[in-house]
Amino acid sequence: MKIDREQLTELLVEKSGLDKEQVASQLDTLVERIRQAAREGKSFHIEGFGTFVAKGEELLFEPDEPLQTEVNQKYAGMKPIELIGAYREQAAGGAGADDDNVVEAGEETTPASRRDKIRARAEKARKEAARRAETEEEAEEPALPEKKEAPDPQMTETERTKEAVESKEGKTGRPAGKDTAKEGFKMARKKSFKKARAEGRKSRDRQPLSAVAGRIVGISLILVAVMAAGWWAWDAGWFEGDLEPDPPAVEEPDNRPSMSQEQQGGEETQQQPASEQGGGQTVTGDETGQNAVSGGDPAAQQPAYGLRGELNTQLASFYTIVVHSLTNQPRADRLAEVLMEQGYRVSIRSVTVDGIPYWRVGIGQFESVQSAQEAAEGIPEPYRSDHFIRNFQ
Amino acid sequence: MEQEFIQAFREVLREQILRRNEVKLNGLGVFRFEHQNQFQKQHEDGRVVMMPPRDTITFSREKRGT
């Protein structure tokens, strides 16, 4: 709301108790005296209200302290607060025109000793900022040699510090600082681009190496596969034919696995399971070639049980070390002959396991399982590690 | 000038300014109430201060003549 002359007059009349004309004339007189003082370059003071001060063409008004305090009642007692943490930001961007507009009230309320302390602290912080800026410049020197500018000998320490801080903060209004920053960015981008390109080239150079490594891995995998296949073939007995004088025309690939399979159930089968006995009745070994070899006087002279010598056909039941278990009877017969030539007591029995007929080739005749196990410790490889004990009847 | 008038003048202006009213004195200028927000200032020695908000009286001189 705006109070014009009429309203002001009414208010003054109401307040002073004077009549309207008196108030109007008093008001005109007051205005005229103030203007007069202003024209003469003097100040005009109204007690309890304020002072009109002429400053050139301007007419300023300074309220008296009681009036100012009353107007500013809401914020009375609030004093300027020093912001320690904000110093650096302000130092980087602020220095310059703003300093001229510093409010003096802050200084008036600050004691001299405190001011000195603050100044010392500010100086310290400024020096630290300058040192950091210099360190950064030095660090960037090898990367950006053209960025370095020769220090102006005429420049004062403060100016240099300011420049360093401003260039560091990037808040400076100076075009030179901006250019430096831009150049820095450009150089950094170029550098990173070059680096990336060099890395790309390196990776391209490295490609053949990785290809070689891949080949090596592939070859080693193939070798492992071949070795595994060889082991499997050896385990299947494919190479056993080489040991024989006359290799069989057809070999059963599952000879060995079937033996291992039977070996797993060894403990039970030692007690003569019914499934084995079914085929076991068809004794072929004793009645075929082996009896032709055995028999005669030497058999009567040797002990009833043993690993080597002639097969004792008088024994109705004995334990033997089964070293071959084959589904191919001719092959089993041939292996038995080889073993007999080596001096072992050899016997062959036919059994049916899970519907599949096997011919078991056993060496030695033993009274007990224990004696058979002890004897098995002394037989050569591969029989020593790949055999099982069975009771032949 | 009478003392009653000066007293009344002082009180009326104070009241009106406190009510945020502009008071115009013909041939002189306008008195206004002004609120100033808090702001940061930096002194020449580098220290930064936060100036508190304040309410104050401002005077604008009338443009025509002196």
Side-chain angles (χ1 to χ4, degrees):
Chain A
M1 191 176 153
K2 209 167 190 173
I3 308 294
D4 57 10
R5 184 183 169 86
E6 280 189 19
Q7 288 171 309
L8 182 61
T9 308
E10 285 173 12
L11 288 167
L12 287 170
V13 168
E14 192 182 321
K15 186 65 84 181
S16 64
L18 302 171
D19 58 23
K20 195 175 178 180
E21 286 180 1
Q22 276 183 314
V23 167
S25 87
Q26 292 279 328
L27 191 58
D28 287 340
T29 309
L30 179 65
V31 169
E32 187 52 41
R33 287 180 67 176
I34 293 168
R35 290 177 67 178
Q36 181 68 32
R39 274 197 295 270
E40 292 170 2
K42 295 176 182 173
S43 60
F44 187 88
H45 181 247
I46 302 172
E47 196 178 348
F49 183 67
T51 309
F52 292 90
V53 180
K55 203 170 189 179
E57 291 294 309
E58 291 294 314
L59 181 61
L60 306 176
F61 174 72
E62 290 174 6
D64 273 3
E65 189 63 33
L67 179 61
Q68 176 59 44
T69 306
E70 196 172 4
V71 170
N72 194 35
Q73 190 181 357
K74 205 170 164 184
Y75 306 108
M78 290 180 76
K79 288 177 180 174
I81 300 165
E82 190 175 352
L83 304 175
I84 304 294
Y87 167 71
R88 278 164 198 160
E89 287 79 358
Q90 284 297 107
D98 280 356
D99 286 349
D100 300 330
N101 300 327
V102 170
V103 175
E104 297 301 321
E107 281 193 359
E108 285 167 12
T109 54
T110 311
S113 59
R114 194 178 161 211
R115 225 180 305 162
D116 290 340
K117 274 183 189 175
I118 290 164
R119 278 194 187 132
R121 197 160 38 196
E123 188 64 29
K124 194 181 171 185
R126 200 182 303 161
K127 276 179 184 173
E128 196 183 331
R131 188 172 50 80
R132 203 176 306 151
E134 279 172 12
T135 313
E136 279 192 12
E137 275 182 4
E138 280 172 13
E140 286 174 11
E141 266 176 18
L144 311 168
E146 60 278 327
K147 194 179 167 187
K148 191 182 172 185
E149 290 173 8
D152 188 358
Q154 301 298 325
M155 201 187 283
T156 63
E157 180 65 30
T158 315
E159 280 172 341
R160 245 176 288 168
T161 305
K162 269 185 192 173
E163 208 171 64
V165 172
E166 283 167 353
S167 66
K168 182 198 162 199
E169 295 288 327
K171 288 182 182 176
T172 176
R174 293 182 194 183
K178 272 187 181 175
D179 286 351
T180 314
K182 272 186 184 175
E183 234 173 85
F185 282 127
K186 273 184 189 172
M187 287 304 294
R189 205 158 45 196
K190 259 188 201 174
K191 203 179 153 192
S192 63
F193 178 68
K194 275 181 186 174
K195 199 179 171 186
R197 207 167 48 184
E199 277 180 4
R201 209 179 298 143
K202 270 185 191 173
S203 68
R204 274 203 299 280
D205 293 344
R206 251 183 268 134
Q207 264 186 352
L209 281 176
S210 63
V212 168
R215 261 180 242 155
I216 288 166
V217 170
I219 288 165
S220 58
L221 279 174
I222 290 165
L223 281 173
V224 167
V226 167
M227 285 170 70
W231 172 255
W232 181 80
W234 171 264
D235 198 44
W238 285 11
F239 304 116
E240 284 182 1
D242 299 341
L243 300 172
E244 297 174 15
D246 299 316
V250 179
E251 293 186 1
E252 295 292 333
D254 55 345
N255 288 342
R256 285 290 176 165
S258 66
M259 187 174 172
S260 302
Q261 190 184 357
E262 281 192 36
Q263 204 168 2
Q264 288 173 5
E267 293 298 323
E268 289 179 11
T269 50
Q270 281 174 13
Q271 304 301 321
Q272 289 295 323
S275 63
E276 288 189 9
Q277 283 180 355
Q281 299 301 318
T282 58
V283 177
T284 56
D286 292 350
E287 295 169 4
T288 54
Q290 287 169 31
N291 273 350
V293 176
S294 64
D297 293 334
Q301 293 168 5
Q302 67 178 10
Y305 298 98
L307 181 63
R308 294 176 180 275
E310 294 296 325
L311 188 72
N312 186 356
T313 54
Q314 303 300 318
L315 295 172
S317 174
F318 59 90
Y319 290 94
T320 188
I321 304 162
V322 178
V323 291
H324 294 293
S325 180
L326 309 169
T327 54
N328 186 340
Q329 190 187 0
R331 181 173 156 77
D333 290 340
R334 279 194 293 275
L335 288 170
E337 282 175 19
V338 171
L339 289 166
M340 274 192 284
E341 284 172 8
Q342 290 173 6
Y344 292 108
R345 297 187 192 193
V346 180
S347 55
I348 297 178
R349 291 291 184 278
S350 171
V351 294
T352 304
V353 179
D354 296 335
I356 300 167
Y358 288 94
W359 278 266
R360 288 174 174 168
V361 180
I363 55 171
Q365 290 175 304
F366 304 97
E367 197 175 5
S368 64
V369 175
Q370 191 180 356
S371 58
Q373 283 174 338
E374 284 170 5
E377 295 294 321
I379 61 174
E381 290 289 358
Y383 304 130
R384 189 166 56 197
S385 58
D386 191 13
H387 67 269
F388 55 90
I389 311 296
R390 280 292 179 273
N391 182 271
F392 280 9
Q393 288 179 336
Chain B
M1 280 194 294
E2 296 183 19
Q3 193 61 35
E4 291 82 0
F5 172 77
I6 294 296
Q7 180 71 24
F9 178 81
R10 193 165 47 216
E11 287 180 8
V12 165
L13 259 69
R14 185 179 62 84
E15 283 172 9
Q16 294 307 314
I17 287 165
L18 287 174
R19 289 176 189 175
R20 271 80 166 156
N21 290 334
E22 286 184 12
V23 180
K24 186 178 179 185
L25 289 180
N26 284 351
L28 193 66
V30 182
F31 292 94
R32 289 190 187 87
F33 177 94
E34 200 174 276
H35 175 76
Q36 203 171 46
N37 284 322
Q38 64 178 16
F39 61 100
Q40 284 186 27
K41 280 287 177 189
Q42 184 173 27
H43 293 267
E44 282 178 6
D45 59 4
R47 64 200 175 92
V48 181
V49 291
M50 176 65 81
M51 301 303 294
R54 64 173 183 166
D55 294 334
T56 186
I57 299 168
T58 60
F59 173 74
S60 313
R61 190 174 188 185
E62 203 171 59
K63 295 292 174 191
R64 52 173 188 182
T66 51

